[in-house]
Amino acid sequence: MVLDTGERVIPEYMKPMNKLLLEHIARYQFALYYVSGRVLDLSCGAGYGTHMIAKEKKQDITEVVGVDIDEEIISYAQATYYHPQSSFVAANATDERLIGQIGSFDTIISFETLEHIEEEEHLLENYYRLLNPGGSLLVSTPFGDGRGVPCGSPFHIHQLTPDEFRSLFTDYAETEFFYQKGVLIEPPRPAVKYPLGIAVCKK
């Protein structure tokens, strides 16, 4: 299978020290601490992160489901990353009927999704709808000049400011924000400009 990689991270096609690959793997490594129960990897791409969760957290999860709108990349994930506790489904992250298709979850991971979605409110509603009470949601996005402002990537609708990103998760009982620069993920430090943020929310 030959894929149009575009902006996608596909480890098989990348050098091990590729910066983008390392940054994406670092986010999934960070997420492992929060993962338990039934897990959703929403906008899973090639599936390597879904597979990492299944392998590393097999004692703590019942299953992990990787979902992506791209049927070709889901076929690739199904052929490349087998684990008895994982599965992959082609579906739209903004579809209000998604819960009827895949059910609800104790942990939702959705990395690098927001910036691709024009129907932002539908995505945010699905995060909340799909998450069980007491469950954890982890969302990441790159920062930029703000909602509605064109950005340098042809693959992104826009890139939120840090303040815009932080305002998205007020419905949750608890929310923490972390920031990523390279492979380092940490709470914010003064005078450091971070290119990407991660919200960790508890419903």
Side-chain angles (χ1 to χ4, degrees), residues 12-136:
E12 180 185 2
Y13 296 168
M14 304 169 84
K15 293 181 178 179
M17 294 303 291
N18 180 284
K19 182 180 178 183
L20 185 63
L21 173 62
L22 293 175
E23 290 173 357
H24 278 248
I25 290 174
R27 281 193 283 282
Y28 277 103
Q29 188 69 42
F30 170 84
L32 291 177
Y33 174 80
Y34 300 94
V35 166
S36 65
R38 188 165 189 254
V39 183
L40 173 63
D41 186 8
L42 191 59
S43 299
C44 67
Y48 63 92
T50 309
H51 190 63
M52 181 189 297
I53 293 166
K55 286 182 66 178
E56 297 293 329
K57 299 292 285 187
K58 60 187 177 184
Q59 304 298 329
D60 302 303
I61 68 170
T62 55
E63 70 169 323
V64 54
V65 180
V67 170
D68 200 278
I69 195 171
D70 185 337
E71 293 184 4
E72 184 182 28
I73 203 69
I74 287 296
S75 294
Y76 172 86
Q78 290 168 336
T80 306
Y81 295 112
Y82 171 77
H83 191 280
Q85 288 169 271
S86 70
S87 60
F88 295 96
V89 177
N92 188 337
T94 64
D95 189 342
E96 65 181 13
R97 300 165 298 177
L98 187 58
I99 192 168
Q101 184 177 354
I102 60 175
S104 62
F105 296 85
D106 303 301
T107 310
I108 298 175
I109 294 168
S110 187
F111 290 155
E112 311 303 270
T113 307
L114 269 168
E115 65 272 15
H116 297 275
I117 303 296
E118 197 156 6
E119 306 88 354
E120 182 181 281
E121 285 301 319
H122 294 173
L123 178 64
L124 296 171
E125 288 167 4
N126 260 354
Y127 287 155
Y128 200 85
R129 185 183 293 126
L130 292 164
L131 188 64
N132 290 329
S136 295

